[in-house]
Amino acid sequence: AEDTGVRVELAEEDDGKKASIALKLWVEDHKKLKGKYKESGAIEFSFDLEKDVPEVVAQEMVESGFFHESDVKTVGKSIRDRVALIKWRRARTVSAAA
Amino acid sequence: SPSAQVVHSAGRRFIVSPVPEDRLKEQ
């Protein structure tokens, strides 16, 4: 995944079955953000792998005051990359088991 | 410190907590 300066990781073990998974997002490189980023902590949230859309969650984070509108694409892409990796690993585990 | 929480109007909860210790050293 491209280094966007925003890190997204699993906030819990992925058993490969649950639809919603807890993710944790934080900024590793403030310089890569266009807007001023005031929150220095990690933001934990639940993501439904079937229903949720990364860019929508990113917009919710902007609306919740965590990021500036100009960074919604960067945040969305960071979430999308991590979700894609989770789905890829799940698919690989299933095919290995088959 | 108690983690802050923000609930978006769409219902998603965002919980803010310190960045994981081991990741701070990497910055």
Side-chain angles (χ1 to χ4, degrees):
Chain A
E2 179 200 326
D3 177 13
T4 61
V6 175
R7 169 77 67 170
V8 180
E9 293 203 357
L10 283 169
E12 65 178 333
E13 207 62 44
D14 179 13
D15 66 3
K17 300 185 196 76
K18 45 186 149 195
S20 281
I21 190 95
L23 297 178
K24 200 168 251 193
L25 176 148
W26 67 88
V27 175
E28 279 194 326
D29 185 353
H30 296 245
K31 293 189 272 340
K32 290 197 169 155
L33 294 181
K34 299 189 190 88
K36 221 175 98 24
Y37 173 67
K38 58 181 178 12
E39 188 49 60
S40 56
I43 305 161
E44 186 171 330
F45 58 99
S46 180
F47 187 91
D48 186 315
L49 292 168
E50 272 120 36
K51 295 189 195 118
D52 279 329
V53 176
E55 287 71 20
V56 169
V57 176
Q59 187 58 43
E60 288 177 9
M61 285 186 163
V62 167
E63 289 161 5
S64 300
F66 292 115
F67 291 100
H68 188 268
E69 183 67 46
S70 55
D71 292 314
V72 70
K73 277 210 180 78
T74 301
V75 175
K77 176 165 177 25
S78 307
I79 298 170
R80 177 168 292 283
D81 288 349
R82 173 57 59 181
V83 166
L85 186 59
I86 293 168
K87 289 182 176 177
W88 178 75
R89 281 203 183 123
R90 284 188 169 194
R92 208 180 57 154
T93 314
V94 168
S95 63
Chain B
S1 69
S3 31
Q5 290 192 45
V6 174
V7 180
H8 183 265
S9 51
R12 191 182 318 273
R13 181 184 310 273
F14 295 108
I15 301 165
V16 180
S17 57
V19 173
E21 268 309 307
D22 52 340
R23 310 320 298 259
L24 281 175
K25 286 188 206 83
E26 279 185 32
Q27 277 181 24

